[in-house]
Amino acid sequence: MNIIFSIDQLEEVAQQIIASNPKKVILFHGEMGVGKTTLIKQLCKTLGVTGATSSPTFSLVNEYETIVNQLIYHFDFYRLNEEVEALDMGIDDYLYSGNWCFIEWAEKIPNLIPEAHSVLTISSLADGKRYLQLS
C-alpha cells in the first residue's frame, strides 16, 4: 500500500491502514518529526481509543484501551541504548500478546521483532505532504 496524503486526510489514511489488514505488530519508520506519533494517535482513535494518547518517549510504552476492551501498545525506543533494556521491560509479553503493537524506532531492537509484522514507512515530500508505504 502506498499513499500520499496531507494532515487533513489523516483519519481517512488510518482507516485505509486498518482496512488493509496489517499484522498487529507494526514498525513505524521515518525521520524525527515526520508524523509517526501523530499517525499512531489517529490509528488508536480509529481502533476505538477514547482516552488521551501521547508519545511514550520517556516511558518507552503506553497502553491504551479501546471501547471494546482491546489493548493497544505504543512503543518509542528512541532513547533505548541496548536491546536488553527492552527485554527487561518484558517486550516479549507485549509483542506476542495478540494485541496491537505500534513501534517507533524499532531499529533499536532488531533481534526482538517477531517474524509476523508489518512495516510502515513515512517520508516528507517537498509540498508538505507525506508519502506512506505499508508492507
Side-chain angles (χ1 to χ4, degrees):
M1 165 189 282
N2 298 301
I3 304 172
I4 294 175
F5 67 98
S6 59
I7 193 74
D8 61 331
Q9 296 172 301
L10 207 50
E11 184 176 346
E12 179 185 328
V13 169
Q15 290 170 355
Q16 289 178 40
I17 291 168
I18 298 302
S20 74
N21 199 27
K23 303 292 183 194
K24 285 210 168 176
V25 174
I26 303 178
L27 315 183
F28 288 75
H29 294 294
E31 296 295 320
M32 180 89 63
V34 77
K36 297 180 299 290
T37 299
T38 302
L39 178 56
I40 289 171
K41 287 179 179 184
Q42 184 60 55
L43 286 167
C44 288
K45 185 176 178 182
T46 299
L47 289 167
V49 173
T50 57
T53 56
S54 62
S55 175
T57 301
F58 296 101
S59 61
L60 298 181
V61 63
N62 285 346
E63 179 180 310
Y64 311 117
E65 189 171 345
T66 69
I67 55 175
V68 294
N69 301 316
Q70 279 187 319
L71 294 177
I72 298 172
Y73 301 113
H74 176 192
F75 301 89
D76 185 334
F77 290 127
Y78 181 75
R79 295 180 55 241
L80 213 65
N81 294 312
E82 299 178 2
E83 282 184 323
V84 71
E85 294 173 69
L87 289 171
D88 289 345
M89 68 175 275
I91 188 73
D92 286 343
D93 292 336
Y94 293 107
L95 296 179
Y96 295 97
S97 67
N99 295 309
W100 288 101
C101 293
F102 300 142
I103 306 173
E104 296 183 63
W105 304 103
E107 54 271 24
K108 298 270 192 155
I109 59 163
N111 299 307
L112 305 178
I113 301 299
E115 199 170 305
H117 68 273
S118 293
V119 176
L120 192 150
T121 304
I122 306 173
S123 55
S124 296
L125 300 176
D127 61 2
K129 291 185 178 182
R130 300 295 190 256
Y131 174 73
L132 178 148
Q133 181 177 27
L134 178 65
S135 56

